[in-house]
Amino acid sequence: MNRASRRVASPHVVCIEDFRPLARRRVPQSVFDYLDGGAEGEVTLRENCRVFEDVTFRPRHAVVVPECSLRTRVLGFDLSLPFMLAPVGYSRLMHPGGEVSAARSAGKAGTAYILSTISGHKLEDVKAASSGPVFYQLYLMGGRAAAEASMERARVAGFSALVVTIDTPVSGIRERDFRNGMKEMISGGLFEKIPFLPQVLSRPGWLADFLLDGGMPSLENVVVPGKGPLPLVDVAAALAESAITWADLRWIRELWRGPVVVKGVLTAEDARRAVDEGAAAISVSNHGGRQLDGVPSALRALPEIVSAVKGQIEVWMDGGIRRGTDIVKAICLGANAVLCGRAYAYGLAAAGEAGVNRAIEILRTDLERTLKLLGCPSIAALDRSYVNVPRGWEES
Ligand SMILES: Cc1cc2nc3c(=O)[nH]c(=O)nc-3n(C[C@H](O)[C@H](O)[C@H](O)COP(=O)(O)O)c2cc1C
């Protein structure tokens, strides 16, 4: 067992929350807050996690459940787990292994990894690292020409699906990032950077890793034909021009031809529209509370969307998942599978690939224990009868 694995083994890390102080200690404040924070007053961010307390279990006791199956089918793939790793931008700033480590870890665990457009490693390297399915999350950064080039690269490399995120016409305002000088650190001149340098210098281990990794990464998968990868300094401006419309989605579908997943659905109306537009799946998501503050938690939005979709396509959900019990509750409410964002990214920031492996392991053992305590033999057998939901949720 190497040092990083030891650092995140029990008893130091028993649950996902235990990664947070470790991550906070290893990476600069600006990187930690970019990962941990949400938009504006962070109301939706908090509610994403809190809302799981509103749903309680209805266990079947005095039944024998010798083995529990966690197997789940997603887009025709047989996964060993009912959760996948969500796209998380700037993963390479959290740890040099970044997206490659997360993809390898997901593959080893028998689940899928979704690579963000905002990634520092080449998509070909990410695909090569994983023994499991890998999907590509698409923003129209750099315009249609750059998107077309990345779709072609993703197709050739063997990515199996596109995940199109529709909730980011502009970046949400994450106030912690402003206070920490994220903009100045990425795109400012030396004088603008000076006030924020102490937070970087106080994390020498991270700084050494960062410098040995070549410093500020470019966006290796956003390449406007004839130009190089998009520098990080241009990300905010590029994102502001990359709003995706339903017309873009049609264009993407025609070009990609494989399965397209729409991520960022919060209403029955958008869910039905996604079905009509030929999506293979949707993810009920508020981007982990990082975009429009004040929208409902993803779990609360789930029942309305599950009934609107009527089983025509897969419904995924993401936001606030920190425990296996959260995953089980989301599946009881009708999700086919969930995505975890911060749950594994805290592990990545705390200890690189060893941290991601440990995060996945914690959630896996949580799930097995929860199914046994519920008296349910498999993820596939979960349904609404295993949970109590608050009054009002049933009608939606
Ligand atoms: C640091 C960070 C970066 C993210 N970057 C992206 C991204 O580039 N594209 C995207 O579609 N979603 C992105 N997300 C949202 C996640 O894919 C997912 O929706 C969210 O993390 C789920 O909430 P959770 O973190 O509570 O699990 C990001 C989330 C975090 C925490």
Side-chain angles (χ1 to χ4, degrees), residues 34 86-87 89 116 137 139 165 263 287-288 290 318-320 322 341-342:
Y34 167 72
S116 166
Q137 179 268 320
Y139 285 134
T165 303
K263 176 172 180 282
H287 215 111
R290 300 167 71 81
D318 68 77
R322 302 291 183 270
R342 293 179 184 83

Side-chain angles (χ1 to χ4, degrees), residues 128-372:
S130 175
S131 51
V134 184
F135 311 147
Y136 186 69
Q137 179 268 320
L138 187 73
Y139 285 134
L140 287 186
M141 291 173 78
R144 282 192 173 193
E148 192 168 345
S150 60
M151 278 191 266
E152 179 58 15
R153 277 174 62 195
R155 197 184 55 74
V156 171
F159 281 69
S160 311
L162 273 191
V163 176
V164 180
T165 303
I166 61 166
D167 59 14
T168 313
V170 290
S171 184
I173 175 163
R174 297 165 207 146
E175 296 173 2
R176 300 196 213 181
D177 292 353
F178 279 79
R179 291 190 199 102
N180 290 330
M182 194 74 167
K183 183 163 153 256
E184 288 78 2
M185 292 300 282
I186 288 176
S187 58
L190 183 61
F191 279 110
E192 289 165 289
K193 283 190 170 78
I194 285 173
F196 304 105
L197 286 180
Q199 51 168 301
V200 174
L201 298 174
S202 66
R203 296 292 182 274
W206 176 89
L207 183 59
D209 284 346
F210 174 75
L211 293 175
L212 287 171
D213 192 40
M216 208 56 96
S218 298
L219 295 197
E220 291 296 334
N221 305 311
V222 183
V223 182
V224 182
K227 295 189 183 168
L230 192 79
L232 223 52
V233 292
D234 297 335
V235 168
L239 204 55
E241 290 167 6
S242 71
I244 289 187
T245 64
W246 293 110
D248 292 317
L249 195 86
R250 235 163 289 148
W251 172 78
I252 290 165
R253 265 195 64 221
E254 277 160 23
L255 228 105
W256 174 252
R257 294 191 293 272
V260 170
V261 181
V262 176
K263 176 172 180 282
V265 173
L266 283 173
T267 60
E269 294 87 324
D270 275 0
R272 276 193 293 268
R273 180 77 191 248
V275 173
D276 294 344
E277 295 286 350
I282 52 178
S283 197
V284 178
S285 170
N286 53 40
H287 215 111
R290 300 167 71 81
Q291 285 299 109
L292 180 60
D293 197 24
V295 294
S297 63
L299 190 76
R300 181 64 188 90
L302 183 63
E304 159 185 338
I305 290 167
V306 168
S307 30
V309 164
K310 297 190 181 81
Q312 288 172 282
I313 59 173
E314 290 174 17
V315 178
W316 309 350
M317 170 274 179
D318 68 77
I321 303 277
R322 302 291 183 270
R323 293 183 182 274
T325 49
D326 300 338
I327 299 173
V328 169
K329 287 175 184 177
I331 291 172
C332 287
L333 290 187
N336 297 90
V338 305
L339 311 181
C340 296
R342 293 179 184 83
Y344 83 86
Y346 288 135
L348 182 69
E353 195 166 320
V356 184
N357 289 338
R358 178 84 182 113
I360 293 175
E361 185 55 17
I362 287 172
L363 294 175
R364 195 183 63 71
T365 51
D366 272 3
L367 283 166
E368 281 177 351
R369 186 178 54 252
T370 304
L371 285 185
K372 286 190 178 174

